[in-house]
Structure formats: C-alpha cells, structure tokens
C-alpha cells in the first residue's frame, strides 16, 4: 500500500517547485476524526518525503489525531505513547507544509490528550 500511495501522490510537475523534504525519515499514522480531510494529509506527508502507514501505530514517529473520545482504548494508548513519539493534530502537517519546515510538535498536541483532560475537544 505504501508504494501505491507514493505512486499516486501528486508530483511536483509542470511549473511546480519540488516540495522540501520536511518529513524525511518520519512515519505517520492517523486515527480519529481530523479537521483536515485525510486524503489531503496523506498527500502532504508523501509529497514532503514522509511515509504514511495505513495500519497500526507501533512503529511510527508521528500519530495524527484531532478528536478522540476520552477514555476509549485508543485514547489511553495514545496518552501512553506521548513519551515515545509525537501525537499531533492535522493542522501541524498543513502548517509545516505551508511554512516549508518542521514546526515544534508540542504546540500541536491534541487538547484531548493534554494533562488532566477528560473532555472531547478539538
């Protein structure tokens, strides 16, 4: 699937400057609802040198999650994952692509995973 998605990613073709490889050596997985359409996120990740993993999050560097139901299994697993990797909102991917550089992940942690949070939030 990785190869299929990479092959279908929009190339930096006619008149379009190549995208900076800001996500090189990074792998991404997405869970829950996202504000930005998931297809757009996947295209931005691949266009900027990253790898999108379709299944599972055990070997990824970044998990994209905007909104999760507090207390469910995924929410608990992601809270534990904060120590080993980055959990960011979809806005982080878009903002990094727009800026042409990797922005600090800490500013883009989903509010639902913030310390003491028990509410569903965006």
């Amino acid at each position: 699937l990785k190869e299929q998605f990479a092959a279908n990613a929009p190339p930096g073709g006619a008149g379009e400057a190549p995208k900076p490889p800001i996500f090189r050596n990074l792998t991404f997985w997405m869970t829950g609802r996202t504000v930005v359409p998931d297809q757009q996120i996947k295209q931005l990740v691949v266009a900027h040198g990253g790898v999108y993993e379709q299944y599972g999050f055990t070997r990824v560097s970044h998990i994209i999650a905007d909104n999760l139901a507090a207390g469910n299994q995924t929410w608990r697993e992601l809270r534990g994952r904060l120590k080993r990797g980055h959990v960011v909102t979809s806005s982080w991917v878009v903002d990094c692509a727009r800026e042409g550089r990797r922005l600090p992940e800490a500013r883009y942690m989903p509010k639902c995973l913030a310390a003491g949070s028990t509410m569903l939030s965006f």
Side-chain angles (χ1 to χ4, degrees):
L1 287 175
K2 289 183 220 173
E3 290 81 15
Q4 287 175 340
F5 193 78
N8 291 329
E16 193 176 324
K19 309 280 189 227
I22 57 177
F23 300 137
R24 183 184 304 151
N25 299 322
L26 302 180
T27 54
F28 296 82
W29 179 70
M30 197 174 343
T31 188
R33 293 184 190 188
T34 56
V35 175
V36 180
D38 63 334
Q39 193 64 26
Q40 181 183 353
I41 296 168
K42 294 171 190 175
Q43 288 174 342
L44 286 171
V45 164
V46 172
H48 288 277
V51 174
Y52 177 76
E53 291 285 345
Q54 185 71 28
Y55 304 103
F57 65 85
T58 56
R59 295 185 310 258
V60 299
S61 61
H62 288 72
I63 297 171
I64 302 164
D66 286 340
N67 197 5
L68 297 168
N72 76 12
Q73 183 66 31
T74 302
W75 181 81
R76 286 190 296 273
E77 289 173 4
L78 290 181
R79 282 190 67 106
R81 172 91 165 128
L82 290 174
K83 296 175 185 76
R84 297 185 313 247
H86 300 284
V87 182
V88 295
T89 62
S90 57
S91 299
W92 179 79
V93 175
V94 174
D95 291 352
C96 288
R98 183 179 50 243
E99 293 287 324
R101 63 188 177 93
R102 187 172 161 190
L103 300 171
E105 289 90 346
R107 295 191 328 223
Y108 292 88
M109 181 171 55
K111 291 177 185 158
C112 61
L113 294 177
S117 174
T118 58
M119 298 287 296
L120 191 71
S121 57
F122 267 108

